[in-house]
Amino acid sequence: MAKNTSLYFRIVEGRNLPAKDVSGTSDPYCIVKVDNEVVARTATVWKNLNPFWGEEYTLHLPMGFHSLSFHVMDEDTIGHDDVIGKITLTKEAIGSQTKGLDSWVNLTRVDPDEEVQGEIHLNLLLLKDAEKISLRCQVIEARDLAPRDISGTSDPFARVIFNNHSAETSIIKKTRFPHWGETLELELDPEELSEEGSITVEVWDWDMVGKNDFLGKVEIPFACLLKTPLLEGWFRLLPLGNNEVDAGGKLGALRLKVRLVEDRILPSVYYQPLIHLLVESVISPTEVEDTSALTMLEEVTTVESRQDVAMTLVKIYLGQGLVVPFLDYLNTREVNHTADPNTLFRSNSLSSKAMEQFMKAVGMLYLHEVLKPIINRIFDEKKYIELDPCKIDLNRTRRISFKGAVSEAEVRDSSVEMLQSYLTSIIESIVGSVDQCPPVMRVAFKQLHKRVEEQFAEPENEDVKYLAISGFFFLRFFAPAILTPKLFQLRDQHADTRTSRTLLLLAKALQSVGNLGLQLGHGKEQWMAPLHPIILRSVSSVKDFLDKLIDIDHDIVSEVPQRAVFMPSVTVKEGYLHKHKAEGPQLLSRFAFKKRYFWLTSETLSYAKTADWQVGAEQVRSSIPIQCVCAVERVDENAFQQPNVMQVITQDNDGQLLTMYIQCKNVNELNQWLSAIRKVSIYNERMLPSFHPGAHRSGKWTCCLQADRAVTGCSRTHSAVTLGDWSDPLDPDVETQTIYKQLLQGRDKLRKKYLEVPDAGQTSSNKEKITSDMRPGGAKSSVQHMKSGQSVAVRLLTVIDDLEQAHATFQRREKEDSTSVILNP
């Protein structure tokens, strides 16, 4: 039974951060680490002590973790970025919050003695004979130590301490992966053989000038050696001591949302009955109003969990090739239960959330094609645009008149002109994108159009069938992407204040376009009136676009199971990077990296000199099969004296390992590419357990200083994968486990509603008899007399009970196996 650990966190905002710049402000961003591996970096919010990020991530952590930390930094264009403070949350602290953490947390000071990382390999032996008693400690090696020197390395040595005895290893220069292989021996007095006290192994960074820097410690109770004279293994290095204080809020605070989900995933065969019930709900409903497993799931889904459940269901039905029938089933029920067309899909129902998540899952590449050029233009031009008379600030405008100061009227006229230009470009790009829209999205909208037209056939409701589609298409897809491009991966950074205001005004205007201009003039923002003519002129073209969008043959969508949301032919990520020229080691590092254009799909990682490689016959596009990828890891800065370098390790048909080094322009881009390549290679069977974070140069590895190029890697590979966006791979077992847990929480509610007969004379034995008869193979005569939904409820509850029993059985076996290992080492 596999284990799955998922960590969800959202960095909402900060408040009262200290000023680090001479301007009296800061330029804050957050670095997120899981056990000292950087897994995410937010955008920088410029000149703001109360920044809003609103960035959320989902991490898949197969190996588990110990702590999650958020470091708030102040970005400086010159010199090193300043540290503002940090927040560290242990796995235990996060797991103790059943509903997750959602609160303001004060920042603490960053103490170098607390910023430790890595592991040390030790062999401890207690020797007792007639002549002497001694403690023998073999200090073998260490890995992933914290860098304490400006070179990005350390000069580590180890010290063993027990009572008043101590001994030290030699110093190994310029490495975070020292190999000592030294044996230290401490002679003990007989009276020291008590069960009190601990053996401490400390690791330090030696400095020629000033005091040595602490790198971590291990404490082993002496009682352990009395019971087991020989101890050997890797031990995690711990901080000097927990002296963290929140500084009384003087360093500011972060508002965080964090949730930990740990699951044991059963073999696929155990989830098939639940999958069968979910599939049956949408492919063979006798009547759309009949109760089904899907409607029962909706009954027990809370408001807080509805979005997660919707995304999970979208993935399951995508994997089954049934996402269109699934959406049609939910939408039909929603339409049939809506009496007033003005309230259609206005709630956050399961159908509304499912449509939102569906568009993100299958339409993000399409959204990028349509919006990215105009979004880039808005960011590049950085125009001051404002229509609200109460917010016009003449001091923020550029001089646009030779006659003197700019008037409010001139600002407003200039703003209207720019907004009309931007809005026209956006509308033209959208209405001209029929052929770019994914066929599966078009078919889903066609079905929605049909259901709405059938329900609201009156002439006065002519526009409802358009509003139903545009409400999702414009209001819940394109408008939010324009408002916050960073959250839709359209930009690496959040917009500055000026650009953010422009995007807000455009998002408001596009929402009015999505509403077909029906609400113009009824709101409080009458200053938006100059944009009303262009909005009204676009209505006919939008309707024409929607008519063309749904003019598609239903059979064009191949309803076959697919393992991933993205298809092999789709480029998951692309862009210019710098590839290391391996054949030129004699070159200086900065000349050894050559600019290349990279494409990543679920099948290959390819690169060429330019993006239009097909045009020039002299260009060659090189490709690496994804199935050959063995590891994707960061590279230490000291390897090439260059930042933001990663390595892709592959294995050829002869079993030979090959490494390609790639440099990214910044840490955001590095994280994105690391995550993207790890995602598409997540199912590879030959992933490496270790790697070298350095490079083999001048006859040795820059990380562990070993001479042999083929020596086993000195650091463990990292399996953390950033998830939670449109390109997530599908894992049917993990997704179905999520649905099972939701149903398990609502099991009592379902039993009470569908199985408990409201008859005072009914005995518990009779109830048990009914339940027994309704299980597969039970008496059909009882089923025929059940009220609507009872038969489905019994089948569903039986599946839930069986899954619960399977989990209990596997957990019991795990305990028995672990006990057997202890008793029979």
Side-chain angles (χ1 to χ4, degrees):
M1 183 166 61
K3 294 183 180 180
N4 183 66
T5 301
S6 295
L7 185 62
Y8 305 82
F9 60 89
R10 186 169 192 250
I11 307 168
V12 186
E13 57 187 321
R15 70 180 180 194
N16 302 329
L17 300 182
K20 290 289 185 178
D21 300 335
V22 293
S23 62
T25 62
S26 292
D27 304 313
Y29 66 91
C30 293
I31 290 177
V32 186
K33 296 182 180 180
V34 172
D35 292 343
N36 294 296
E37 181 195 7
V38 178
V39 295
R41 182 202 193 276
T42 69
T44 301
V45 180
W46 302 99
K47 300 186 184 303
N48 201 317
L49 299 180
N50 298 284
F52 176 82
W53 289 288
E55 298 188 28
E56 56 185 297
Y57 303 85
T58 305
L59 298 181
H60 176 57
L61 303 162
M63 301 302 293
F65 71 105
H66 297 284
S67 65
L68 170 70
S69 60
F70 302 85
H71 289 69
V72 182
M73 311 289 292
D74 167 57
E75 184 166 335
D76 289 330
T77 53
I78 301 176
H80 292 286
D81 294 349
D82 299 317
V83 179
I84 294 176
K86 73 163 186 175
I87 293 168
T88 299
L89 302 172
T90 64
K91 179 184 178 182
E92 291 71 26
I94 300 170
S96 65
Q97 305 282 336
T98 54
K99 292 186 177 181
L101 172 75
D102 182 0
S103 64
W104 285 94
V105 185
N106 286 342
L107 291 166
T108 65
R109 292 186 176 87
V110 176
D111 182 353
D113 288 343
E114 301 300 315
E115 300 302 301
V116 304
Q117 64 185 62
E119 299 171 303
I120 187 167
H121 191 185
L122 301 173
N123 182 315
L124 292 167
L125 178 63
L126 183 63
L127 297 171
K128 293 184 287 185
D129 56 35
E131 297 182 359
K132 67 176 183 177
I133 302 171
S134 62
L135 172 64
R136 182 175 296 172
C137 179
Q138 185 180 8
V139 185
I140 304 170
E141 60 184 321
R143 61 189 178 196
D144 297 306
L145 299 179
R148 290 287 189 254
D149 300 335
I150 58 174
S151 63
T153 62
S154 291
D155 304 317
F157 69 92
R159 178 186 298 150
V160 180
I161 306 169
F162 180 69
N163 288 344
N164 295 320
H165 311 284
S166 67
E168 295 181 356
T169 66
S170 58
I171 300 166
I172 300 182
K173 300 287 188 71
K174 298 186 182 304
T175 181
R176 294 173 47 235
F177 303 85
H179 286 254
W180 289 289
E182 299 181 24
T183 300
L184 306 177
E185 194 163 315
L186 305 178
E187 289 195 16
L188 308 181
D189 299 327
E191 57 269 21
E192 291 181 287
L193 292 181
S194 68
E195 294 194 4
E196 298 179 358
S198 296
I199 303 159
T200 302
V201 180
E202 298 176 344
V203 184
W204 293 81
D205 165 52
W206 175 82
D207 285 331
M208 181 178 293
V209 180
K211 67 175 185 177
N212 298 332
D213 300 312
F214 180 72
L215 292 175
K217 69 174 181 178
V218 174
E219 290 188 343
I220 301 169
F222 191 68
C224 292
L225 276 181
L226 292 176
K227 295 177 182 177
T228 309
L230 175 61
L231 288 176
E232 181 179 358
W234 285 94
F235 298 85
R236 191 165 75 96
L237 293 170
L238 301 174
L240 190 59
N242 188 8
N243 299 317
E244 295 181 8
V245 292
D246 66 8
K250 293 180 181 178
L251 298 178
L254 292 184
R255 186 183 169 204
L256 302 172
K257 293 184 178 181
V258 185
R259 183 162 52 92
L260 174 66
V261 176
E262 291 187 292
D263 281 323
R264 284 177 166 82
I265 310 301
L266 298 170
S268 298
V269 65
Y270 289 91
Y271 295 111
Q272 289 310 305
L274 180 53
I275 288 287
H276 178 73
L277 281 176
L278 293 174
V279 167
E280 184 183 87
S281 299
V282 302
I283 63 173
S284 58
T286 54
E287 292 290 340
V288 75
E289 295 303 324
D290 285 354
T291 302
S292 68
L294 200 52
T295 60
M296 291 180 182
L297 172 63
E298 184 170 14
E299 287 179 30
V300 298
T301 300
T302 63
V303 176
E304 295 79 14
S305 64
R306 193 159 294 153
Q307 180 165 314
D308 290 340
V309 170
M311 188 65 207
T312 301
L313 287 172
V314 166
K315 288 186 176 185
I316 287 175
Y317 285 103
L318 274 168
Q320 294 293 320
L322 295 169
V323 71
V324 171
F326 160 65
L327 294 171
D328 185 40
Y329 178 78
L330 290 183
N331 290 339
T332 302
R333 289 180 61 88
E334 178 89 359
V335 170
N336 289 357
H337 291 165
T338 304
D340 183 357
N342 294 316
T343 64
L344 186 61
F345 294 114
R346 294 298 181 182
S347 66
N348 287 322
S349 62
L350 186 60
S351 59
S352 296
K353 288 296 184 183
M355 284 294 290
E356 282 185 36
Q357 300 305 319
F358 162 70
M359 289 188 295
K360 289 181 180 179
V362 304
M364 286 293 284
L365 290 171
Y366 161 60
L367 180 139
H368 280 217
E369 290 179 19
V370 173
L371 287 186
K372 200 159 191 175
I374 183 64
I375 292 295
N376 287 341
R377 176 188 161 195
I378 294 168
F379 269 75
D380 293 341
E381 292 181 354
K382 294 182 180 178
K383 298 287 187 181
Y384 177 73
I385 294 176
E386 185 55 76
L387 296 181
D388 187 349
C390 300
K391 294 185 177 181
I392 291 179
D393 184 356
L394 299 181
N395 294 323
R396 296 179 59 189
T397 63
R398 294 179 180 176
R399 189 182 184 88
I400 60 174
S401 172
F402 292 105
K403 299 179 180 179
V406 181
S407 66
E408 284 192 16
E410 289 175 308
V411 172
R412 195 159 47 250
D413 291 344
S414 172
S415 298
V416 170
E417 182 181 352
M418 288 306 306
L419 285 173
Q420 287 177 336
S421 173
Y422 291 147
L423 187 58
T424 299
S425 297
I426 291 171
I427 294 173
E428 288 178 351
S429 183
I430 293 174
V431 300
S433 66
V434 172
D435 294 334
Q436 296 167 275
C437 187
V440 67
M441 186 185 290
R442 295 177 62 185
V443 172
F445 284 138
K446 179 179 181 178
Q447 291 294 99
L448 174 59
H449 178 276
K450 177 182 177 182
R451 302 307 179 193
V452 174
E453 192 173 37
E454 290 172 348
Q455 180 69 9
F456 301 103
E458 300 83 3
E460 62 269 22
N461 292 326
E462 171 66 23
D463 286 334
V464 177
K465 59 179 180 290
Y466 293 111
L467 289 168
I469 301 175
S470 63
F472 287 115
F473 203 72
F474 287 90
L475 275 65
R476 300 195 186 205
F477 193 46
F478 280 105
I482 291 172
L483 182 63
T484 52
K486 171 69 171 65
L487 303 187
F488 285 76
Q489 300 178 17
L490 287 164
R491 296 287 297 190
D492 289 339
Q493 298 284 351
H494 285 297
D496 56 35
T497 304
R498 174 178 292 188
T499 306
S500 181
R501 181 61 179 171
T502 301
L503 295 174
L504 174 62
L505 294 173
L506 286 170
K508 286 177 179 288
L510 194 64
Q511 285 178 330
S512 296
V513 172
N515 285 323
L516 305 181
L518 296 178
Q519 298 176 1
L520 293 181
H522 299 295
K524 297 178 181 179
E525 299 172 342
Q526 294 302 317
W527 40 266
M528 290 285 288
L531 295 179
H532 291 179
I534 191 173
I535 293 171
L536 292 172
R537 285 198 301 270
S538 69
V539 170
S540 60
S541 61
V542 167
K543 286 184 176 180
D544 182 59
F545 162 71
L546 296 177
D547 285 333
K548 293 178 180 177
L549 194 71
I550 62 174
D551 184 14
I552 184 172
D553 186 354
H554 192 291
D555 296 332
I556 198 171
V557 178
S558 178
E559 299 286 2
V560 294
Q562 46 188 331
R563 181 65 175 176
V565 171
F566 45 78
M567 299 304 290
S569 60
V570 173
T571 299
V572 177
K573 190 168 181 60
E574 62 180 299
Y576 277 107
L577 300 170
H578 286 79
K579 176 183 175 294
H580 186 256
K581 189 177 180 182
E583 64 271 18
Q586 74 282 358
L587 296 174
L588 294 174
S589 294
R590 63 195 183 100
F591 297 118
F593 286 88
K594 301 297 181 182
K595 190 174 183 180
R596 296 291 183 265
Y597 196 87
F598 280 79
W599 296 264
L600 175 67
T601 73
S602 58
E603 289 188 338
T604 61
L605 176 64
S606 309
Y607 58 91
K609 287 187 177 180
T610 63
D612 54 349
W613 65 280
Q614 302 97 326
V615 179
E618 73 282 356
Q619 286 201 56
V620 178
R621 176 164 168 163
S622 303
S623 293
I624 299 172
I626 290 299
Q627 63 184 15
C628 296
V629 172
C630 301
V632 190
E633 299 289 341
R634 290 176 175 81
V635 177
D636 282 349
E637 287 194 19
N638 68 307
F640 299 103
Q641 302 303 317
Q642 295 287 330
N644 307 316
V645 178
M646 68 177 181
Q647 57 182 306
V648 180
I649 305 173
T650 56
Q651 189 175 45
D652 61 20
N653 294 330
D654 298 325
Q656 184 74 24
L657 293 180
L658 306 172
T659 304
M660 178 170 62
Y661 297 100
I662 303 171
Q663 185 180 29
C664 304
K665 63 183 178 182
N666 54 46
V667 70
N668 269 352
E669 187 176 68
L670 174 65
N671 284 333
Q672 290 167 10
W673 277 96
L674 277 171
S675 177
I677 301 175
R678 285 176 180 174
K679 281 179 186 178
V680 296
S681 60
I682 192 172
Y683 300 116
N684 287 6
E685 296 180 354
R686 44 184 173 180
M687 303 301 285
L688 294 175
S690 62
F691 77 107
H692 288 286
H696 196 272
R697 304 177 61 198
S698 303
K700 63 181 179 182
W701 287 99
T702 58
C703 45
C704 57
L705 310 181
Q706 300 292 302
D708 184 3
R709 180 185 287 270
V711 71
T712 303
C714 55
S715 178
R716 284 191 301 180
T717 50
H718 300 93
S719 53
V721 178
T722 305
L723 302 175
D725 64 26
W726 54 274
S727 61
D728 289 352
L730 295 181
D731 192 328
D733 299 337
V734 173
E735 311 299 347
T736 314
Q737 170 69 16
T738 301
I739 298 301
Y740 155 69
K741 286 180 62 180
Q742 189 70 38
L743 288 167
L744 185 64
Q745 293 175 6
R747 178 171 58 182
D748 292 342
K749 180 179 179 180
L750 294 177
R751 275 207 181 113
K752 185 174 182 180
K753 178 175 180 179
Y754 291 99
L755 300 190
E756 292 185 6
V757 180
D759 183 352
Q762 177 114 17
T763 65
S764 59
S765 60
N766 287 337
K767 293 179 184 178
E768 291 174 3
K769 178 65 167 59
I770 291 176
T771 303
S772 175
D773 288 343
M774 290 188 298
R775 293 179 68 93
K780 294 184 180 180
S781 58
S782 296
V783 178
Q784 294 171 354
H785 292 89
M786 289 186 295
K787 64 181 180 181
S788 174
Q790 280 187 326
S791 175
V792 177
V794 169
R795 292 174 62 199
L796 182 60
L797 289 167
T798 300
V799 168
I800 297 171
D801 292 342
D802 289 345
L803 281 170
E804 184 181 42
Q805 182 61 42
H807 274 281
T809 301
F810 274 92
Q811 288 178 2
R812 186 170 62 252
R813 288 176 185 172
E814 279 185 353
K815 290 181 180 179
E816 292 172 353
D817 291 343
S818 62
T819 303
S820 175
V821 170
I822 293 173
L823 296 176
N824 304 289

